[in-house]
Amino acid sequence: MKKHEYPDLGETLYEEVLPNGLSVLVAVKPGFRKNAAFFATRYGGADRRFKVNGEWIDTPAGVAHFLEHKMFDMPDGRNVLSDFAALGASPNAFTGAGLTAYYFTGSENFMDNLRLLLTYVSTPYYTDESVAKEQGIIAQEIRMGEDSPGYAGYFQLMSALYDRHPIRENIAGSVESIAQITPETLYHCHSVFYHPSNMALCCVGDVDPEAIAAAAREILPDTPGEKPERDYGAPETLLPGRKRVEKTMSVSAPQFLLGVKLPYLSDGAARERQKLLAELAGECLLGKSSAFYNDLYAKGLLTGDFSVENDSAAGTAALFFGAQSRDPDAVAEAVHEAVSGVALHGLDKDALERCRRAKYGRLLGSLDSFSAYAVSLAESRLDGWNALDAFAALESVTLAECEAFLCENLTRERLALSVIRPNA
C-alpha cells in the first residue's frame, strides 16, 4: 500500500485501489485501543434514475434507505447486530442523498469485526415477508420525520431552491413510494451500486493496513462492476424555484432556514475548496462571533442555536443559515444588509483569521474522533478528493475570495427563505 505522511498534522495514511476497484484507506493511530471502520457506497436517496447495460432504470423513492435497513439480515436468519455486540463493537449505518454507509467502532477484535462488516454488506438477502415488514417500519419512520420541524424546514427549503432535482425529496421516500419496493428491486440496486469499484473502505486505529486490504480481497468480489450513469433531471439555474415558503407546525417559536444554491463544480478538490470557502465566508459575516449575530441576538431576533452549514451531494451544493427567530423575515433582511456592507466596506481581516483558526481547530479535533475521521476519508474519496488536503485548502482561501463569494452568491435574487411557524 502507498504510505503518505502528514507531519504537520501528525497523521499517516495508507491507501490502495484493489484490482476489483475498491478504494482502501487506513489512518494508522499507534498506541490507541479504539478503532473504527467505515464501508460506504456512492449510492443515496437522490440516485433514483440510472443507466446500466445501456438501459435507463427508474426506481421508487427510498430504495437506498430501504436497502440500508435490510442489509443487516443474513440468509441463515441471523441479524448481524447481535454478532457485533458479541465482538464488543458498536455498529450503525446511515443513508444520505448521495451515499450509504455502514460502520462500527470498538476497542477489540478489530479484524473479526471488519470481516463481519465486509461480509454482511456484500451479502444481499431479501424475502417478500421481510420486505413487507420493513415497509411498515419505514412508513412509521417517515411519518415521524414529517412531524419533526427541523426535518420539515430543511426539505421545505430544498423544495424551494430546486424545481426538479430529487435532493428536494425525503431520502426515505414516501409511504406510497416504498410500497412499490420489492425484493427484486433491492437485489437489482444492490448489484448495481454495491460492487467494490463504487465503494470505499476506510479504517482508523492501531490497525494493520495490509491485513485490512487482504481481508477485502478475500471477502469481496474480485472484479469491478459497471459504474452507473446517474440522471438527476434537467439542469437548473442558480435561482430558487420559490423565494419564500412557510408552513405551521407544533413549535414554540418560529424557525427558519435561509439558503442559496451554489455552483456544483466538476472537480472534487474544487468542490471541497468551495465548501470551505463558503463556510469560512459565511461564519465570518454571519456566525456567532460576528457583529451581525451579536446585534440580532441583542435585539431578540436570533437565539443561541444559530448555525451556518454547507451541504454538497448528488450534483448539488448549497449554503444555509438557520435558527429560531420571532421575525425570520427581519433576519433575512438583515442578511441582505450585511452582504451590502461587504460590497461597500469588505470583510474584517482579523475576524476572518479568527474564523479560519477556529475552523482549522475543529478540523484538527475531528481527527481525534475515529468514526468522524473514517467518515471524512470515505466521503472525500467517493467525491474525488482527499480529506487531509482540507487543511491546506482552508489556509489558501483569501480575504478577497470570501468577499467575492458573499457578494456574488448571497444576493436577494438567489436566497430562499423557509419558515416553520407555530400553529395558531
Side-chain angles (χ1 to χ4, degrees), residues 311-325:
D311 197 13
S312 178
T316 68
L319 180 68
F320 43 93
F321 320 92
Q324 285 189 355
S325 175

Side-chain angles (χ1 to χ4, degrees), residues 97-307:
L99 174 144
T100 306
Y102 306 84
Y103 61 98
F104 69 82
T105 58
S107 58
E108 55 186 346
N109 301 315
F110 174 79
M111 288 305 301
D112 289 335
N113 284 311
L114 178 67
R115 294 176 68 85
L116 179 58
L117 174 70
L118 295 171
T119 298
Y120 87 81
V121 175
S122 60
T123 307
Y125 177 68
Y126 322 107
T127 66
D128 290 332
E129 293 77 14
S130 69
V131 168
K133 179 180 178 182
E134 203 65 37
Q135 283 167 335
I137 295 170
I138 295 178
Q140 185 177 15
E141 180 181 330
I142 291 170
R143 294 187 185 100
M144 291 174 62
E146 291 170 347
D147 291 335
S148 165
Y151 184 91
Y154 171 78
F155 281 105
Q156 183 173 255
L157 175 63
M158 292 297 105
S159 69
L161 288 174
Y162 293 92
D163 288 320
R164 297 172 297 276
H165 196 290
I167 196 80
R168 68 202 301 274
E169 299 174 13
N170 189 344
I171 289 169
S174 66
V175 174
E176 294 74 22
S177 72
I178 64 170
Q180 304 171 40
I181 295 174
T182 66
E184 290 72 28
T185 308
L186 300 176
Y187 277 117
H188 181 232
C189 289
H190 187 279
S191 69
V192 170
F193 292 101
Y194 280 66
H195 57 76
S197 52
N198 195 53
M199 304 183 77
L201 172 64
C202 301
C203 304
V204 181
D206 191 355
V207 293
D208 182 347
E210 294 294 347
I212 291 168
R217 282 192 291 267
E218 175 191 345
I219 295 170
L220 301 178
D222 56 9
T223 57
E226 178 187 353
K227 290 191 177 182
E229 180 182 344
R230 294 159 168 82
D231 180 13
Y232 298 125
E236 302 192 30
T237 72
L238 291 177
L239 295 175
R242 289 176 289 169
K243 292 279 296 171
R244 193 182 187 286
V245 283
E246 180 176 319
K247 69 183 298 184
T248 59
M249 295 185 71
S250 296
V251 294
S252 59
Q255 302 179 10
F256 77 91
L257 278 177
L258 183 68
V260 61
K261 285 187 284 189
L262 301 177
Y264 185 78
L265 305 178
S266 59
D267 179 72
R271 285 195 298 274
E272 173 59 12
R273 192 173 187 282
Q274 176 180 261
K275 178 178 182 291
L276 293 167
L277 166 62
E279 291 173 347
L280 183 60
E283 283 286 348
C284 183
L285 181 65
L286 307 174
K288 288 187 176 181
S289 63
S290 68
F292 166 88
Y293 172 80
N294 285 284
D295 180 51
L296 268 63
Y297 184 84
K299 293 177 179 177
L301 288 172
L302 284 178
T303 60
D305 64 346
F306 183 72
S307 62

Side-chain angles (χ1 to χ4, degrees), residues 2 10 14-15 20 35 95 131 146 154 263 285 297 324 332 394:
K2 292 181 181 178
Y14 293 81
E15 68 169 323
N20 61 11
N35 52 63
T95 306
V131 168
E146 291 170 347
Y154 171 78
L285 181 65
Y297 184 84
Q324 285 189 355
L394 176 63

Side-chain angles (χ1 to χ4, degrees), residues 395-412:
E395 297 230 46
S396 73
V397 173
T398 67
L399 177 67
E401 285 181 297
C402 289
E403 292 170 343
F405 172 86
L406 294 168
C407 294
E408 292 170 7
N409 292 287
L410 271 62
T411 64
R412 193 177 292 272

